[in-house]
Amino acid sequence: MSLTAETTDYIVVGSGCTGAIAAQTLVEAGAKVLMLDVGKQDNKYKPLIPDKDFLTIRETDQQQYRYLLGENFEAIPWGNIKTGTHLTPPRQFMLDLVDRYLQVDSENFSPLESLAYGGLGNGWGVGCYVFSKPELEKIGLDKIKMMSAYKTVSARIGISGAKDDASPYTIGELDNYQAEFEIDANAKSIYKRYLKKKQTLNKKDFFLGKPALAILTKDLGERKKIAYNDMEFYSDRDQSAYRPWITVEELKKHPNFTYISDSLVTEFTENSDRVRVKAINTNTNEKVSYTSKKLLLASGVLGTARIVLRSFQSEDKQLPLLCNPYGYIPCLQPTMLGREIERHKMGFAQLSLFHDPNQQNFDIAMASIYSYRSLMLFRLIKESPLNFVDGRIFMKYFLSGIVVMGIHHPETSSNGKYLHLNRSETAITGDKLKINYQLSDLEKQTITQKENDYIWAMQTLGCYALKRVNPGYGSSIHYAGTLPFNEQNTAYTLAPTGRLNGTHSVYVADGSGFKYLPAKGLTFSLMANAHLVAESALTE
Ligand SMILES: Cc1cc2nc3c(=O)[nH]c(=O)nc-3n(C[C@H](O)[C@H](O)[C@H](O)COP(=O)(O)OP(=O)(O)OC[C@H]3O[C@@H](n4cnc5c(N)ncnc54)[C@H](O)[C@@H]3O)c2cc1C
């Protein structure tokens, strides 16, 4: 059965970081906005999690196994480490319905996509980075407009940052950020050693400091400042970490805004003054359509590629794909072994270590340094060669000295990285995204060399690498570049305003236009760009 429903000024597809920010800009300008989303939510674990810190929960809550280990042992990854194995049980709803509606066929690329209310932003590590001028130029973005957009987004979501050796790479010229957050004992010890060894490290182009994070150190509206209870990857109770659903909940109070969940947008068609959006109701499988003056796609880079390729009926059309190569290296800081586990700490990245060989804030590598506890505990015990009881005792002693370094590398487009849409009889949508991702030998060598450099830097900081873990291509969860910005009116590209070339009313607010991916996390820049795209859609 096919239904024709709502008509509105603007349709925004997706409630993730980009959809939420774009919709907010439209609504604040007085536009009538309809957000279409699949919008899965967690109703299972959320009510079970007490408002207590991780250690108190471990000591007192009889129900803890249900959300820490998961009722189906979701916290213990079986088989190889792959993209998304670090999602906690209360975040696994982010993956609901993905196998059903977002089918991928690939031998060498394993993406993480989400059909959740708030998208991947339910699980993001909240790392925010202002891109430098040369980085923005290579991406295809305007530096002056982006600086102003970064400030707008920072005021909306709340970012805490610090002035230190890393700030040119983190907050850059941003001036409206909150006071820095507290780091834990592991990170303090590393930072102290950095100050002693600074000259040696700087001479080799390494710079260490605190990351800028979308967490509050001061209350913002109804959101509370961080409580350092180390439960940030399990619960959003105090809303101290920014999640896009927080923005959408605010928008729902506005008469100009309508949110419709359970709607999987499949394609659009345009006529002279309207765009028609077709969707499937994911509960009933009914086909529904909506019309609006303008459409903003914010369905995640891979999701948007599907919608655009279907709408242009372009099977076999290859689109380029960018994804930061990523790997991590667990390290041991021997001076911290056997220390008492802290109660007052948080789970996000504690420090950022940048390697900038040209000293131009361009084509740098970035490592985030975590002292995982709540997130990794069960996995580490499982990986231990000892039996569970001995492993648990051993880990109690060992855990205080474990540091995990996640390294992101910059990413440029090349022939071996692309996707296209294949017909599929078995898929509900009738198609699968076929992805091929191969790095050149030179890219692989550069990554290995960079990891060696980082292992040296960590050793200088008193941390010794235990092993290298390669979670496979796609695991950075930073995707971009499928519809690259282009000032000519070329098909399958975006105008600098975010308008899809070849259309007059379809805009793309996610990272599809980015022609380059710096190693720094992209999401703050995605949100700033989404704000600018929404402004263009209002005025063009
Ligand atoms: C564990 C983890 C840690 C991360 N850490 C960081 C970090 O520290 N820093 C950083 O910069 N980035 C980080 N990221 C990446 C960051 O989460 C993403 O870049 C960002 O959330 C992407 O936002 P988006 O709005 O473009 O897309 P998404 O979050 O993918 O949102 C897409 C939205 O569209 C909806 N949707 C999709 N297809 C359709 C359709 N056909 N019809 C209707 N609705 C649809 C979905 O329901 C969803 O609401 C991390 C990601 C993860 C998972």
Side-chain angles (χ1 to χ4, degrees), residues 323-329 355 365 407-411 417 437-455 468-470 473:
C323 175
N324 293 116
Y326 178 68
Y328 58 92
I329 300 181
H355 190 222
I407 308 176
H408 284 99
H409 304 270
E411 164 79 330
K417 307 164 189 168
Y437 187 95
Q438 270 161 349
L439 294 176
S440 67
D441 287 344
L442 181 63
E443 284 172 318
K444 286 184 196 159
Q445 278 164 21
T446 310
I447 289 169
T448 308
Q449 180 54 49
K450 196 60 80 176
E451 284 179 356
N452 292 342
D453 294 342
Y454 267 98
I455 287 172
R468 294 178 199 225
V469 182
N470 177 1
Y473 299 141

Side-chain angles (χ1 to χ4, degrees), residues 253-272:
K253 296 176 191 161
H254 208 284
N256 282 358
F257 180 78
T258 309
Y259 175 80
I260 299 186
S261 63
D262 307 312
S263 300
L264 182 90
V265 171
T266 50
E267 60 191 287
F268 61 82
T269 48
E270 262 191 319
N271 61 28
S272 55

Side-chain angles (χ1 to χ4, degrees), residues 12-15 19-20 23 33-37 248 251 257-261:
V12 174
V13 182
S15 63
V33 176
L34 168 65
M35 180 177 276
L36 296 176
D37 191 22
V248 184
L251 292 176
F257 180 78
T258 309
Y259 175 80
I260 299 186
S261 63

Side-chain angles (χ1 to χ4, degrees), residues 58-281:
R58 293 285 295 125
E59 287 155 5
T60 58
D61 187 15
Q62 299 295 321
Q63 300 281 314
Q64 59 178 281
Y65 68 93
R66 292 179 65 188
Y67 50 90
L68 293 181
L69 281 179
E71 289 178 349
N72 299 312
F73 299 104
E74 301 95 301
I76 302 177
W78 308 104
N80 294 336
I81 301 279
K82 51 182 197 287
T83 311
T85 37
H86 54 307
L87 292 180
T88 60
R91 298 293 184 214
Q92 302 259 338
F93 75 98
M94 285 166 59
L95 310 180
D96 284 357
L97 295 185
V98 167
D99 283 349
R100 193 173 159 87
Y101 291 111
L102 305 181
Q103 294 200 2
V104 171
D105 181 7
S106 181
E107 282 165 15
N108 45 27
F109 192 83
S110 175
L112 193 77
E113 295 182 83
S114 177
L115 289 171
Y117 181 45
L120 294 171
N122 286 289
W124 78 309
V126 299
C128 291
Y129 305 88
V130 172
F131 289 169
S132 68
K133 186 167 181 242
E135 287 170 339
L136 289 170
E137 261 167 25
K138 192 160 176 189
I139 291 169
L141 292 169
D142 181 282
K143 149 114 177 146
I144 295 171
K145 286 187 187 160
M146 279 296 283
M147 254 338 282
S148 146
Y150 280 131
K151 285 185 190 175
T152 303
V153 174
S154 175
R156 288 181 186 177
I157 70 174
I159 292 180
S160 69
K163 274 271 175 220
D164 54 28
D165 284 2
S167 37
Y169 310 100
T170 57
I171 48 171
E173 292 165 28
L174 198 69
D175 54 13
N176 61 340
Y177 56 92
Q178 297 194 350
E180 59 193 85
F181 55 88
E182 294 170 38
I183 54 176
D184 62 22
N186 231 338
K188 275 184 193 146
S189 156
I190 295 173
Y191 194 67
K192 215 166 124 190
R193 218 165 284 122
Y194 173 74
L195 295 178
K196 274 194 204 149
K197 304 272 173 113
K198 193 168 136 68
Q199 273 197 338
T200 314
L201 283 154
N202 290 173
K203 219 188 257 170
K204 295 260 187 178
D205 308 309
F206 278 101
F207 302 92
L208 183 77
K210 287 187 187 178
L213 298 179
I215 53 168
L216 303 179
T217 51
K218 207 171 102 192
D219 293 355
L220 182 69
E222 286 172 20
R223 293 173 56 202
K224 298 280 171 256
K225 67 179 183 187
I226 184 155
Y228 298 97
N229 61 17
D230 197 16
M231 288 298 288
E232 298 84 7
F233 285 108
Y234 292 86
S235 164
D236 295 331
R237 189 186 297 268
D238 60 9
Q239 300 180 19
S240 58
Y242 177 73
R243 306 284 173 207
W245 63 259
I246 297 172
T247 301
V248 184
E249 283 301 299
E250 280 302 309
L251 292 176
K252 282 180 182 171
K253 296 176 191 161
H254 208 284
N256 282 358
F257 180 78
T258 309
Y259 175 80
I260 299 186
S261 63
D262 307 312
S263 300
L264 182 90
V265 171
T266 50
E267 60 191 287
F268 61 82
T269 48
E270 262 191 319
N271 61 28
S272 55
D273 64 341
R274 292 263 143 193
V275 54
R276 178 179 294 272
V277 176
K278 293 185 185 164
I280 300 174
N281 180 310

